[in-house]
Amino acid sequence: MIIYDMNTTQTINTLQEAEKLKNYFSPKIISEVNNEYVKLAKIKGEDIPWHNHENEDELFYIIDGNLLMEIESQPSFTMKKGDLFVVPKGVNHRVSSSEDCLIMLIETKSTKHTGEIITPITKSIEKQKY
């Protein structure tokens, strides 16, 4: 998938950008659109805690692999390559994957990585920048 970066007037190849990801559960900002960040993240394991984003929706797009999406008080479901899902603001959720999974996130710039829940994997916006 190629994304056009308005700031650099160059395309961004998401697969090449994904090769730069060194750690799981550590989103990296690859572009911006209006008041949103476009991020890539590798997921493997169950380290993401239950959390929510009180004022922001969160878009998940699966580039490669499978992602288990858990929504509080609802049946969990597996997202596969090409699937897109928006977690509405205020909804408690968590994600995990038993194998490598590459995801794209589109989030409002104010969205905190793990909401108000702070864990060893929580990354500030500054740590999400390349």
Side-chain angles (χ1 to χ4, degrees), residues 14-105:
T14 56
L15 298 179
Q16 289 175 350
E17 291 299 313
E19 291 175 8
K20 298 176 187 177
L21 297 174
K22 302 298 180 208
N23 300 310
Y24 295 108
F25 306 109
S26 186
K28 293 296 180 188
I29 298 166
I30 61 168
S31 192
E32 299 178 29
V33 93
N34 299 318
N35 194 38
E36 315 298 318
Y37 282 131
V38 178
K39 304 175 182 181
L40 292 180
K42 290 191 317 184
I43 307 294
K44 184 176 180 183
E46 301 178 350
D47 293 349
I48 295 287
W50 282 101
H51 68 282
N52 68 64
H53 308 284
E54 186 176 336
N55 299 305
E56 303 98 358
D57 297 334
E58 185 176 28
L59 183 143
F60 288 80
Y61 176 76
I62 310 305
I63 296 172
D64 195 32
N66 298 318
L67 184 77
L68 179 65
M69 176 64 70
E70 296 178 87
I71 304 291
E72 190 171 59
S73 302
Q74 294 184 21
S76 59
F77 57 94
T78 300
M79 296 178 65
K80 297 178 171 91
K81 182 177 181 176
D83 288 350
L84 180 146
F85 181 74
V86 175
V87 177
K89 61 185 167 193
V91 172
N92 231 18
H93 64 286
R94 70 178 174 181
V95 298
S96 62
S97 182
S98 59
E99 300 295 327
D100 282 4
C101 181
L102 177 62
I103 65 172
M104 179 184 296
L105 299 161

